[in-house]
Amino acid sequence: MKYLNLFLFALIFSCNNSEKSNNLKKTSNSEMVISRPLEFSKKTRNSLLLKAINQKDTLAYKKLSNFYLANDRADEFYVYAFIMATEHNYPKAYYDLYESLMFASVYINQFKRENSKKVAIYYLLKSAELNYKGGKNHLAKYFKNVDDIPSSKDYWLKEVESKVPN
């Protein structure tokens, strides 16, 4: 009887956990992301990376983005987002760079470091300029007046490049 009760408890507990792990959550840019850790084999990840970066496959990139960000691995993903942004001028990649820096700030109080914050805002501006909805939606956090929003280039020259220590 003791083992039967233990078995039933374990069965109920595992059902509750699997129910929670299949939930979906909405991100700030209205895309659906699975809240449980996604699983890709190393071979699949490498294949998606090659498609995204070498062929500008945006679907492959979005799958990778969801995988890395849902698994709290934004720091690993930063390099791929950077390549996708700078090589292909992909708006979501610029936004992911912004988000990666934002996630990092939770762990290392990054935004007490003004230069890092300015670089993150530059990425946000760049994503908004390329008409990425998520980027546009977050600009109000940093710019109160729509008329005061600079171009990413002007922002970089004024706020970042001129203040980077030699």
Side-chain angles (χ1 to χ4, degrees):
M1 186 67 170
K2 179 179 176 182
Y3 292 110
L4 180 60
N5 286 339
L6 186 60
F7 174 75
L8 288 174
F9 176 77
L11 183 64
I12 291 169
F13 181 77
S14 68
C15 288
N16 284 341
N17 281 346
S18 66
E19 212 174 274
K20 290 176 188 172
S21 68
N22 288 325
N23 290 337
L24 295 177
K25 67 178 182 180
K26 222 176 192 181
T27 62
S28 59
N29 57 0
S30 301
E31 293 182 16
M32 297 304 284
V33 176
I34 299 173
S35 62
R36 66 176 165 77
L38 299 170
E39 295 299 325
F40 287 130
S41 69
K42 186 175 182 177
K43 183 179 178 181
T44 301
R45 274 195 312 260
N46 289 342
S47 173
L48 289 170
L49 281 170
L50 289 173
K51 285 179 184 177
I53 292 175
N54 293 338
Q55 301 168 15
K56 194 182 176 182
D57 183 332
T58 57
L59 183 59
Y61 178 85
K62 286 177 184 177
K63 287 179 184 179
L64 287 166
S65 175
N66 287 342
F67 168 76
Y68 281 99
L69 297 178
N71 286 296
D72 293 327
R73 294 170 62 182
D75 55 337
E76 292 175 53
F77 187 62
Y78 187 90
V79 171
Y80 308 124
F82 183 82
I83 293 170
M84 194 70 171
T86 58
E87 295 294 321
H88 300 297
N89 209 32
Y90 185 49
K92 180 171 176 24
Y94 281 108
Y95 185 78
D96 287 345
L97 290 170
Y98 163 76
E99 278 201 328
S100 293
L101 287 173
M102 294 298 286
F103 288 150
S105 71
V106 171
Y107 301 109
I108 59 174
N109 292 324
Q110 181 159 358
F111 291 136
K112 290 184 179 178
R113 296 173 180 85
E114 278 300 308
N115 289 334
S116 297
K117 180 179 181 179
K118 290 175 182 176
V119 171
I121 294 170
Y122 165 78
Y123 290 141
L124 180 66
L125 285 166
K126 190 72 176 166
S127 72
E129 283 174 6
L130 295 171
N131 293 317
Y132 188 68
K133 186 178 177 182
K136 288 179 178 182
N137 291 341
H138 282 85
L139 287 176
K141 287 182 181 179
Y142 306 103
F143 304 98
K144 304 261 187 274
N145 187 347
V146 175
D147 297 329
D148 291 337
I149 299 174
S151 70
S152 61
K153 182 179 180 179
D154 289 342
Y155 182 83
W156 183 266
L157 292 173
K158 180 182 176 199
E159 298 293 335
V160 181
E161 191 172 289
S162 66
K163 295 181 180 161
V164 174
N166 292 331

